[in-house]
Amino acid sequence: MATQAKPGNAVVETIKTIVYALLIAGVFRTLFFQPFWIPSGSMKETLLIGDFLFVNKMSYGYSYASCPSVKIPRFGIDIDASDICGWSRGDNSRLFGSEPERGDVVVFRHPVTGSDFIKRLIGLPGDKVQVRDSVLYINDEAVGLQDAGEFEELMAPQGPEGSPPRCENAPVGMGGSCLKSRQIETLPGGVSHTILNIGRQSLDDTGVFLVPDGHYFFMGDNRDNSTDSRVPQTAGGVGMVPYENLIGRADRIMFSSAGRSMLFFWTWRGDRFFKGIE
């Protein structure tokens, strides 16, 4: 004859199941893949606001930055990776580490704020990087550039934050066509990708940046709408990013939605599902 489980035991088993599931999810996220939503337009058109991807943490090995951060302001939860794995921070090394390659799209932790950023790796340790008249120079050599027409998008609030895009043909009214110049940029080593511009901006001419040992220089593909290594940390930028701050490489978009919520199925971008990131 079957025995009926006591209510107290059922509650305990449910709690244990939830705890085990959270532990498994935490281990999976720490060691293998971290989900990442694209919140801004700094990597257009490679990545659009509302793209969802998994970051491959096995690409470069593991450091304190591999530990997950859990931030749920609504419930007062603010657990930083440093709170969990801060003991391993400071020597700029990695376990099972491997070097990133120029042109990789990388998620990393901001050296000061600890926020997660996603940018393209432009400068390796020892490189000289400069932008002159909107053209990127690496070690005094201009990168390859090929005109590729215009990038067009709707002038409308984008993503959960409802941010409007910046346009080369500004001013543009809501519902109008927002245009940006598009080029194909080819980095040393052969990686090619699209970049966007909206005309001459302050960061289209910079000084020479020398990338220190153990650090990397990052830029957004949407060159005139990106907070990246061209701006020093003391001025609110990214500056040089230490090796230990790399989280992983972004390889493929899994899902994409142009709306303010992923539940708005009519805003899903089916052509971007499972799209490789170049």
Side-chain angles (χ1 to χ4, degrees):
M1 182 175 64
T3 58
Q4 185 175 2
K6 295 181 179 179
N9 290 339
V11 171
V12 171
E13 291 302 317
T14 299
I15 294 174
K16 288 169 60 176
T17 300
I18 293 173
V19 170
Y20 292 152
L22 290 175
L23 287 174
I24 293 172
V27 170
F28 183 86
R29 181 173 174 178
T30 299
L31 296 181
F32 302 110
F33 298 96
Q34 175 177 318
F36 192 84
W37 282 98
I38 302 302
S40 73
S42 68
M43 282 295 292
K44 290 178 182 177
E45 69 181 305
T46 303
L47 298 171
L48 302 181
I49 296 175
D51 283 347
F52 175 78
L53 49 88
F54 283 102
V55 180
N56 184 352
K57 289 192 168 184
M58 298 175 284
S59 301
Y60 312 130
Y62 305 96
S63 70
Y64 90 95
S66 303
C67 283
S69 297
V70 182
K71 300 180 185 293
I72 311 177
R74 182 178 178 182
F75 297 102
I77 298 175
D78 185 5
I79 302 175
D80 189 78
S82 296
D83 298 331
I84 304 172
C85 298
W87 55 270
S88 64
R89 184 179 184 181
D91 62 357
N92 204 24
S93 64
R94 307 182 72 87
L95 183 65
F96 308 121
S98 59
E99 298 293 329
E101 298 182 1
R102 193 192 315 274
D104 284 357
V105 176
V106 180
V107 173
F108 58 88
R109 290 178 59 81
H110 190 284
V112 176
T113 68
S115 300
D116 291 349
F117 276 59
I118 184 165
K119 306 288 180 185
R120 190 176 298 275
L121 176 54
I122 298 296
L124 302 174
D127 281 345
K128 290 192 298 182
V129 181
Q130 186 178 22
V131 181
R132 306 179 203 162
D133 194 17
S134 303
V135 177
L136 174 65
Y137 285 75
I138 300 177
N139 297 321
D140 298 319
E141 295 288 335
V143 300
L145 284 176
Q146 178 183 354
D147 288 335
E150 292 180 319
F151 173 77
E152 182 177 357
E153 60 185 335
L154 185 68
M155 169 55 76
Q158 298 182 343
E161 297 180 0
S163 302
R166 297 179 65 193
C167 314
E168 188 170 17
N169 59 327
V172 178
M174 286 294 170
S177 294
C178 177
L179 304 177
K180 296 178 179 64
S181 296
R182 179 200 282 125
Q183 295 175 300
I184 305 297
E185 181 178 83
T186 301
L187 300 174
V191 173
S192 295
H193 55 278
T194 60
I195 61 170
L196 304 179
N197 284 283
I198 61 171
R200 294 302 300 273
Q201 306 289 318
S202 60
L203 292 178
D204 288 333
D205 289 279
T206 73
V208 177
F209 300 96
L210 178 61
V211 185
D213 288 343
H215 291 71
Y216 298 91
F217 189 98
F218 289 92
M219 294 176 68
D221 291 349
N222 191 2
R223 291 290 161 82
D224 295 331
N225 191 31
S226 175
T227 300
D228 50 39
S229 293
R230 290 173 292 177
V231 179
Q233 295 159 14
T234 53
V238 170
M240 304 296 171
V241 179
Y243 181 44
E244 68 177 350
N245 282 48
L246 307 186
I247 294 175
R249 187 179 65 223
D251 294 324
R252 188 172 297 276
I253 299 165
M254 305 303 295
F255 173 82
S256 184
S257 172
R260 301 195 68 169
S261 170
M262 63 178 294
L263 300 178
F264 297 169
F265 63 87
W266 56 91
T267 65
W268 293 358
R269 306 182 185 108
D271 60 327
R272 296 184 68 79
F273 289 12
F274 309 111
K275 181 181 179 180
I277 297 173
E278 298 179 352

